[in-house]
Amino acid sequence: MAGFPSTARVVIVGGGVAGVSALYHLAKAGWRDCVLVERNELTAGSTWHAAGNVPTFSTSWSIMNMQRYSTELYARLGTEVDYPMNYHVTGSLRLAHSRERMQEFERARGMGLHQGMALELLEPEAIRDRYPFIETHNLAGALYDPADGDIDPAQLTQALAKGARDMGATVLRFTPATGVSRKNGEWIVHTEKGDIRCEYVVNAAGYYAQRVGEWFRPFGGRTVPMAAMSHQYLLFEAVEAVRAWSAEHGRKLPLLRDVDTSYYLRQEKHGFNLGPYERDCRAHWVTPDDPLPEDFSFQLYPDDLDRLAPYIEDALTRVPVLGEAGVSKVINGPIPYAPDGNPLIGPMPGVPNAFEACVFTFGIAQGGGAGKVLAEWVTEGCTEWDMWSCDPRRYTDYTDHDYCVEKAREVYGHEYAMHFPRHRWPAAPDRKLSPVHERVRAAGGVMGAYNGWERADWFAEPGDDTTPESTMTWGRAGPWEPRIRAECEAVRDGVGVLDLPGFSRFELSGGGAAAWLSGRIAGALPRIGRMTLGYFPDARGRILTEMSILRHAEDSFTLITAAAAQWHDRELLQAGLADGLALEDRTRERDALVVTGPRSRALLAGIAEADLALPWLSIQEATVAGCPALLARVSFAGELGWEIHADNAHVPAIYEAVLAGGARPFGMWALNALRLEKGYRTWKGDLSSDYSLLEAGLGRFVRLDKPEDFPGKAALAAEKRRGVTKRFVTLVVDAGEADAPYMSTLWNDGRVVGETTSGGWGYRVGRSIALGMLRSDLAEPGRAVEVEIYGERRPAVVQPDRPLWDPGNERLRA
């Protein structure tokens, strides 16, 4: 075919808003030899029938960043690319029926202020000033977002496409892609019009992303975790009162969201658009008798209004003028959902030079930011903001078909639900179990999911309320609170045991393994028979991950990292793995028991054949309860303790022996409290690519004088010379009924000066603790600042740079 490009640097499969935005941002980054292929017309799929709402609201820092960027881009895009666009910045009112909802809004407002957004909290009597047609019965207040609004999805997509074309990128409509192959380290994208050879390929195929993802299975890929949900919205005829109001004020009404009832209501011309997220929701194309069609580009599902009746009735009561108009049209189309409702943006797990920008539930709102993020991934290998919330590698081997469908239904039906810090959404449990799962449950274990692994969060006693409803609070208090306290005290005064399945563990071996690994981390390797923490920076010196490095021999290592990091860290290790080195993922083969507390040595002395006098951070092969095991002298709880690592078959006998020796089971929530008192960081909370190793207070793990030119070495050296602008601190907080959540805003003299990265109550020190990042000139012991906790600014004091509990580490070295 004349003019058909046979080569490109990047090929994007899918011409919805996300794919076209990725093309636009690649071109802006200077990568103009890029091609987008679309089987039909641009916007075919979810984009064409999208309602077009553009909120900034999120309680995820990264997604708020992404959506904020979208609003900023859309405001200038029409002028920038010389294309007419209907973008209505109307503002929005997000209604609250309860104090808890207002607390959520306060949290989002604080995050928004930190990002430069002018969010406002309104009392019920002030709501009608912004929206005269509303009834304010049973409302506690509202969140007003002046940057919210709506946009024409087709115009947005065409504007991005025009901008990309004007910069030299190529858009091929009516060019169905049919598959991929790989040759000489390059991708070949097959289409009905010819093949395109490229370096990189992007799956931006919307609700066809799973089908496209199957093309990559032979090259190390997996089934894309997603399901398509049916979303309906109703268009109403014109309402004369609305027409008159708009004429008088020269604008549209603010977009209204009654999130506790679960719908949005938007002015559409002089009528309304009503979109509920109903509990009685429907997934499509998930059973053999309802297969995904070959082409559903500009089609819809049949109307199914019966399940929307309660939401329509509520909206009529909330905004009575809605009843003055009839329904003119019903839109019922597919929207893809990942199991947590967030899109997939980033490296395709297991596949070289392949990326995903798909499964967008709110693609119009997120499309602008998603294109920016995807382009950064491809062109720079990293993103401005830590985007773990959307990284495809956050899911691993537990997201089978049933899991995805059950979770999609759950997320859709609770689209506007509050995500309380201790609440577990109950759908699709028990994907991966430890060898002692039933024993843990029998002891009262109330379970949480960690990369699909079931772990006890706390241990209930008979009569404790363990219902999901009990956890619907932002506060510290609940039936778990006295149990966590007792678990922490047992670790402090006696001995506790925590079953910890799902540690991501990799065995690295082969000649030269030590030299290769030293070239990947910022610090030094441990001696043989010892362990240490290794930090892997990116080229900017920011934190990619933290691993425990256990050294068995000169070139033999076990690398242990967070459960959620399994696929992320496996790819980090596999990238550039030197010839002759072997890397084995043994995550599923072994379990770990944490045995810790001042009586832990005495307990192990009765059941183990081991040298229990070996110092802190030593490792040894041992026999425990007659079973082979690896003992690691370390404790994330900050007490004398060991981790017992053993094959799954041996764990039940070891666990029973530890319990018989007097250990009290404790859970993840107690461990979190214990680690906060020691200032120990958690991955993708305190440790993320938003921060450099030096900002994170990890300078002792950086060896700029070592010969290896590890990633980020030059950047860290330069940062050390000029000094950091923000610094990791531990704060003691005069908290009220709630502790500081992730990304609580830090204030000083009325100005935002930082953010928390985690927080909670320390039961050994009897104080509320927050870890965070503070402007460096304020990061001095004794400095008073304020922590905004769900809208309430609470006094806090910067602590010395040492643990709050056992600052000399005498107890864990005992």
Side-chain angles (χ1 to χ4, degrees):
M1 175 182 174
F4 185 86
S6 61
T7 63
R9 199 165 189 186
V10 182
V11 172
I12 299 169
V13 180
V17 67
V20 177
S21 178
L23 186 72
Y24 172 82
H25 284 88
L26 284 167
K28 285 206 74 170
W31 285 38
R32 297 174 182 184
D33 182 18
C34 299
V35 175
L36 181 146
V37 295
E38 163 55 45
R39 67 179 301 146
N40 202 297
E41 181 57 88
L42 295 182
T43 77
S46 294
T47 298
W48 82 269
H49 65 74
N53 299 331
V54 188
T56 63
F57 177 89
S58 179
T59 52
S60 162
W61 178 259
S62 55
I63 289 179
M64 179 179 274
N65 255 323
M66 191 165 64
Q67 294 178 172
R68 173 188 53 78
Y69 174 86
S70 290
T71 65
E72 295 167 354
L73 171 66
Y74 300 168
R76 66 177 188 268
L77 184 63
T79 301
E80 187 174 291
V81 305
D82 190 24
Y83 193 90
M85 290 178 59
N86 288 317
Y87 180 30
H88 306 284
V89 181
T90 62
S92 71
L93 289 164
R94 197 171 285 258
L95 306 180
H97 291 227
S98 66
R99 175 177 176 269
E100 287 78 14
R101 181 68 78 173
M102 288 298 288
Q103 288 178 287
E104 179 194 55
F105 290 171
E106 291 277 16
R107 170 160 157 68
R109 177 178 176 270
M111 290 169 56
L113 288 173
H114 199 347
Q115 292 191 15
M117 296 189 292
L119 304 178
E120 298 179 48
L121 269 295
L122 303 180
E123 296 293 328
E125 55 270 19
I127 297 173
R128 289 187 71 114
D129 295 338
R130 307 291 177 98
Y131 202 101
F133 304 112
I134 194 170
E135 298 295 328
T136 58
H137 57 275
N138 70 13
L139 293 183
L143 176 71
Y144 178 70
D145 179 0
D148 208 330
D150 63 89
I151 197 167
D152 183 303
Q155 289 181 327
L156 169 61
T157 305
Q158 296 293 349
L160 290 165
K162 181 180 185 296
R165 288 191 191 100
D166 289 349
M167 288 183 283
T170 301
V171 175
L172 299 177
R173 301 172 301 141
F174 305 104
T175 307
T178 58
V180 297
S181 57
R182 192 157 173 79
K183 186 176 181 181
N184 298 328
E186 292 183 314
W187 289 105
I188 302 171
V189 179
H190 307 292
T191 81
E192 290 186 0
K193 295 181 179 179
D195 293 346
I196 309 174
R197 192 175 75 250
C198 61
E199 296 178 54
Y200 303 93
V201 65
V202 179
N203 179 358
Y207 50 72
Y208 280 93
Q210 193 172 83
R211 180 170 289 178
V212 170
E214 292 302 299
W215 301 345
F216 296 89
R217 291 290 294 275
F219 308 101
R222 87 302 184 213
T223 297
V224 174
M226 62 171 288
M229 298 298 298
S230 156
H231 177 60
Q232 299 183 89
Y233 61 88
L234 292 73
L235 300 178
F236 287 76
E237 297 167 347
V239 177
E240 189 55 41
V242 173
R243 186 194 309 274
W245 189 92
S246 289
E248 178 185 352
H249 293 84
R251 58 186 173 86
K252 293 169 66 173
L253 289 163
L255 196 155
L256 196 69
R257 290 184 182 86
D258 194 329
V259 289
D260 288 310
T261 306
S262 194
Y263 63 80
Y264 61 82
L265 183 68
R266 183 183 96 200
Q267 182 177 337
E268 187 78 22
K269 297 181 180 177
H270 298 303
F272 287 99
N273 174 335
L274 173 64
Y277 289 92
E278 70 279 12
R279 297 286 191 271
D280 182 23
C281 51
R282 297 285 185 273
H284 281 277
W285 308 329
V286 296
T287 57
D289 61 347
D290 182 25
L292 176 66
E294 283 301 315
D295 188 355
F296 201 76
S297 296
F298 290 101
Q299 300 178 53
L300 295 171
Y301 303 131
D303 301 349
D304 188 9
L305 295 181
D306 287 347
R307 66 182 201 251
L308 303 187
Y311 306 90
I312 298 171
E313 292 170 7
D314 189 276
L316 290 168
T317 303
R318 181 66 63 196
V319 183
V321 295
L322 183 63
E324 297 177 12
V327 174
S328 62
K329 192 173 185 179
V330 177
I331 305 294
N332 185 8
I335 298 182
Y337 268 74
D340 63 1
N342 293 347
L344 305 177
I345 313 171
M348 185 182 296
V351 184
N353 289 357
F355 294 84
E356 292 176 338
C358 54
V359 198
F360 284 86
T361 298
F362 298 101
I364 305 303
Q366 297 168 357
K372 164 187 156 62
V373 168
L374 191 282
E376 290 169 346
W377 266 126
V378 174
T379 63
E380 302 175 33
C382 58
T383 54
E384 177 184 356
W385 318 303
D386 189 290
M387 290 304 300
W388 181 244
S389 63
C390 300
D391 194 311
R393 296 167 295 183
R394 69 189 187 273
Y395 298 115
T396 61
D397 55 356
Y398 60 95
T399 56
D400 58 27
H401 175 78
D402 290 345
Y403 180 91
C404 292
V405 174
E406 288 180 44
K407 281 296 184 184
R409 287 176 173 146
E410 182 177 65
V411 172
Y412 181 96
H414 298 85
E415 185 61 68
Y416 291 136
M418 291 176 276
H419 292 268
F420 297 106
R422 298 193 187 278
H423 181 68
R424 176 180 180 175
W425 293 98
D430 298 339
R431 310 321 277 190
K432 294 190 281 191
L433 307 179
S434 92
V436 293
H437 175 76
E438 294 304 326
R439 183 70 173 86
V440 170
R441 290 290 303 274
V446 180
M447 312 305 286
Y450 299 80
N451 189 27
W453 289 97
E454 296 287 314
R455 294 177 178 171
D457 283 329
W458 63 288
F459 284 83
E461 295 187 4
D464 285 347
D465 183 0
T466 60
T467 62
E469 291 73 21
S470 70
T471 60
M472 292 182 176
T473 174
W474 307 112
R476 183 185 316 111
W480 54 83
E481 202 273 341
R483 309 301 173 226
I484 296 172
R485 180 184 298 276
E487 291 169 25
C488 291
E489 290 172 350
V491 170
R492 180 194 67 191
D493 301 332
V495 58
V497 59
L498 171 65
D499 176 42
L500 203 59
F503 259 147
S504 301
R505 64 181 74 237
F506 308 96
E507 304 293 343
L508 176 69
S509 60
W516 179 84
L517 185 58
S518 184
R520 308 292 289 180
I521 65 172
L525 295 176
R527 300 191 304 274
I528 295 170
R530 304 280 289 174
M531 65 183 295
T532 192
L533 290 175
Y535 290 92
F536 291 69
D538 65 13
R540 303 166 297 181
R542 297 189 187 183
I543 304 164
L544 289 175
T545 199
E546 168 199 81
M547 297 188 195
S548 293
I549 301 176
L550 288 65
R551 192 171 191 176
H552 309 291
E554 177 64 26
D555 285 317
S556 176
F557 300 88
T558 296
L559 309 173
I560 296 177
T561 181
Q566 183 184 3
W567 282 9
H568 175 281
D569 284 7
R570 186 171 68 193
E571 291 195 359
L572 183 62
L573 293 168
Q574 287 175 330
L577 191 66
D579 292 341
L581 299 187
L583 183 70
E584 294 181 78
D585 186 338
R586 299 194 63 192
T587 301
R588 278 190 173 268
E589 299 173 23
R590 309 201 90 194
D591 192 13
L593 301 176
V594 177
V595 179
T596 184
R599 290 194 59 253
S600 57
R601 178 179 280 118
L603 188 157
L604 289 174
I607 63 172
E609 298 176 21
D611 183 355
L612 300 177
L614 288 178
W616 182 47
L617 301 180
S618 62
I619 62 174
Q620 62 180 305
E621 298 292 336
T623 300
V624 183
C627 302
L630 176 76
L631 285 184
R633 174 84 188 276
V634 68
S635 171
F636 200 52
E639 298 284 353
L640 174 68
W642 283 260
E643 290 176 359
I644 307 174
H645 299 266
D647 290 347
N648 291 335
H650 300 308
V651 171
I654 297 173
Y655 190 62
E656 290 300 332
V658 171
L659 292 175
R664 173 173 180 149
F666 69 100
M668 296 297 293
W669 293 352
L671 183 65
N672 185 60
L674 295 163
R675 67 94 190 169
L676 282 169
E677 295 170 311
K678 296 295 293 182
Y680 295 159
R681 283 71 152 171
T682 58
W683 190 66
K684 293 306 181 189
D686 314 295
L687 303 171
S688 81
S689 62
D690 283 331
Y691 310 116
S692 76
L693 283 166
L694 298 181
E695 289 172 335
L698 298 171
R700 65 188 182 281
F701 294 99
V702 177
R703 295 286 181 90
L704 294 174
D705 58 348
K706 73 177 188 176
E708 293 88 356
D709 187 22
F710 59 86
K713 186 175 184 179
L716 288 167
E719 185 179 42
K720 186 174 183 178
R721 287 193 298 270
R722 67 176 179 266
V724 296
T725 58
K726 54 187 174 183
R727 189 182 301 278
F728 179 86
V729 294
T730 298
L731 301 167
V732 167
V733 187
D734 181 11
E737 62 185 28
D739 301 306
Y742 173 68
M743 285 294 166
S744 296
T745 307
L746 301 180
W747 295 83
N748 179 255
D749 289 338
R751 294 187 177 184
V752 176
V753 292
E755 68 276 351
T756 64
T757 53
S758 60
W761 189 265
Y763 291 94
R764 289 176 298 194
V765 300
R767 305 296 297 273
S768 182
I769 304 165
L771 308 182
M773 288 289 175
L774 183 63
R775 206 175 70 196
S776 58
D777 62 307
L778 301 175
E780 57 186 17
R783 168 72 69 166
V785 295
E786 293 176 303
V787 181
E788 184 174 324
I789 303 177
Y790 302 113
E792 189 178 2
R793 295 190 195 176
R794 306 291 303 191
V797 177
V798 177
Q799 301 300 299
D801 186 17
R802 61 176 186 262
L804 293 175
W805 176 253
D806 186 26
N809 291 330
E810 297 172 5
R811 293 171 67 91
L812 56 83
R813 293 177 186 271

